[in-house]
Amino acid sequence: MSNPTCSYCPAAAIYTREYEGVSFCSKCFRHVLEEKVRKTIVKHRMLDYDDHVAVALSGGKDSLTLLHLLAKLETHYPKSKIAAISVDEGIKGYRDEALEFARKTCEKLGVEQLVVSYKELFGTTIDELVEKHLGQTPCSYCGVFRRKAINRAAVMLGATKIATAHNLDDEVQTVLLNMLHGDSWRVMRSSPVLRDTRGKFLPRIKPLCEIPEKEIVLYAYLNGFDFQSIACPHGNEALRNDIRSFLNQMEQKHPGTKFTLQKTAEKLRELVQITVPLSQLNDCAKCGDPTPHQLCEACIMLEAIAA
Ligand code: SF4
Ligand code: ZN
Ligand code: ZN
């Protein structure tokens, strides 16, 4: 059987989007994906014409794709600026390689890059925490520390927004994960744009939130991006892995499942119209970041580690 033809031009197709029943040649696929990201940015009013965007750049396919796409978009907005933030969690044999991909890409695109490490910010590394056999998984610490590290670095850069490379798969996995953890607050809070009206945290945007992971892999591959493909040695979130497999199976049997789930979560958020109960937030007694408790999550963790 011969390959199908591109739905947009006479060229041979290289990819079919099952959930839309549309096929693409390489050129049209790249164009349509870029357009989709642009429309997501407009739809959620993610960017202003003069934003200084700090892109969280790990060196993986998602963040490298995001940096390329935003750098391309930025050329149309002379008053905007892009910079990259890379976080060194201190994971030997893994992060070093990713940081190298990130550095080379920034150099190629002429983008300023700031590298911050857990060691310098929090006095420890993920490898050291693993050796201590603490009660929580390395990813629990890593997630909390990363949010804080990126926010601090973005402030150092004078950024007005932080862009992260969460894709459609990440987003719907997180929705289900939070539901299975019974964390309804997080289900409602996680959205394409996160704003803190007190201005303590910079707004966070997720321009790739409507792009399935496999399309990002294809886009990165077609553009010849060099990205890290080995997985973190500590990344073993059992529940997330199960959810990932379940969603992939569902998507294969029922194309469009992931988008339906994402749209349902979006509608629920609109219905609830959650507003952050700002009056209940305090300044962390140690670092000053907003928290519903006396200390923020990161400072609580750091105290427990030091004990
Ligand atoms: Fe950190 Fe876990 Fe990701 Fe590894 S897999 S980088 S420990 S969050
Ligand atoms: Zn085409
Ligand atoms: Zn704190």
Side-chain angles (χ1 to χ4, degrees), residues 113-152:
Q113 183 197 24
L114 176 61
V115 182
V116 288
S117 72
Y118 287 178
K119 190 74 183 172
E120 78 194 57
L121 292 177
F122 310 117
T124 188
T125 67
I126 291 298
D127 282 345
E128 285 169 8
L129 292 180
V130 170
E131 271 178 26
K132 285 187 181 166
H133 299 290
L134 298 159
Q136 304 199 39
T137 64
C139 298
S140 316
Y141 296 104
C142 203
V144 171
F145 291 168
R146 184 179 297 115
R147 264 196 304 279
K148 210 174 186 73
I150 289 173
N151 200 60
R152 287 212 192 148

Side-chain angles (χ1 to χ4, degrees), residues 89 91 94-95 126 138-139 142 146 232 234-235:
E89 302 94 342
I91 304 172
Y94 168 68
R95 187 49 79 210
I126 291 298
C139 298
C142 203
R146 184 179 297 115
C232 170
H234 308 310

Side-chain angles (χ1 to χ4, degrees), residues 18 38 48 66 137 178 204 211 214 271 274 295 300:
E18 298 291 346
R38 195 187 61 76
D48 293 312
L66 178 63
T137 64
N178 287 330
R204 286 180 172 243
I211 310 291
K214 72 172 179 183
L271 285 175
I274 207 112
L295 292 180
I300 292 172

Side-chain angles (χ1 to χ4, degrees), residues 5-62:
T5 305
C6 174
S7 306
Y8 294 85
C9 81
I14 53 136
Y15 171 67
T16 298
R17 233 181 219 171
E18 298 291 346
Y19 59 88
E20 283 176 343
V22 180
S23 298
F24 303 94
C25 69
S26 166
K27 194 171 161 216
C28 293
F29 171 74
R30 282 180 286 168
H31 175 71
V32 167
L33 187 140
E34 287 165 12
E35 265 304 287
K36 195 166 178 189
V37 173
R38 195 187 61 76
K39 282 182 187 156
T40 302
I41 290 172
V42 172
K43 182 170 86 179
H44 295 286
R45 286 190 250 148
M46 289 181 174
L47 292 174
D48 293 312
Y49 72 98
D50 57 352
D51 263 326
H52 179 177
V53 186
V55 181
L57 184 70
S58 67
K61 63 186 184 329
D62 303 287

